Amino acid sequence: RVRDRLLHSNPVLEAFGNARTRQNGNSSRFGKFTEVHISKSGRVAGGTVRPYMLEASRVAGALPESEGTYHIFYQLRAAVAALAGVAPAPDA
């Protein structure tokens, strides 16, 4: 169902927009606007999720030792290591 797809998209978006900070290991570093389309019968007919304000410095800049980049990069690194049959490097 469309409603379930919209709800289940949130963890995927958070992997691209959440990062480790000094105060929080899973801090949201972005905003998102969710638009839900409702049919005349009152059912969810579709939707759009638009992320904004992503911190570019977490990708291109040097981060303090206690900070981390977006979770998706660590997840991709672990997946590649698993496919290669090696242990992933510790998080930076």
Side-chain angles (χ1 to χ4, degrees):
R1 295 182 11 180
V2 175
R3 176 187 165 276
D4 294 333
R5 288 181 182 170
L6 286 169
L7 290 172
H8 289 107
S9 70
N10 196 52
V12 175
L13 292 172
E14 287 185 355
F16 283 92
N18 287 14
R20 179 174 40 90
T21 66
R22 282 179 291 228
Q23 292 84 19
N24 184 344
N26 191 33
S27 180
S28 177
R29 311 312 304 157
F30 74 114
K32 67 181 173 222
F33 175 78
T34 304
E35 181 179 74
V36 179
H37 305 208
I38 307 294
S39 70
K40 291 184 183 201
S41 66
R43 300 182 84 161
V44 176
T48 306
V49 179
R50 292 187 178 97
Y52 59 93
M53 297 188 319
L54 200 60
E55 287 183 338
S57 63
R58 296 208 171 263
V59 176
L63 295 169
E65 191 172 315
S66 61
E67 301 273 323
T69 190
Y70 296 107
H71 295 328
I72 191 66
F73 295 117
Y74 300 109
Q75 293 166 351
L76 289 171
R77 185 178 66 191
V80 168
L83 289 171
V86 298
D91 287 350

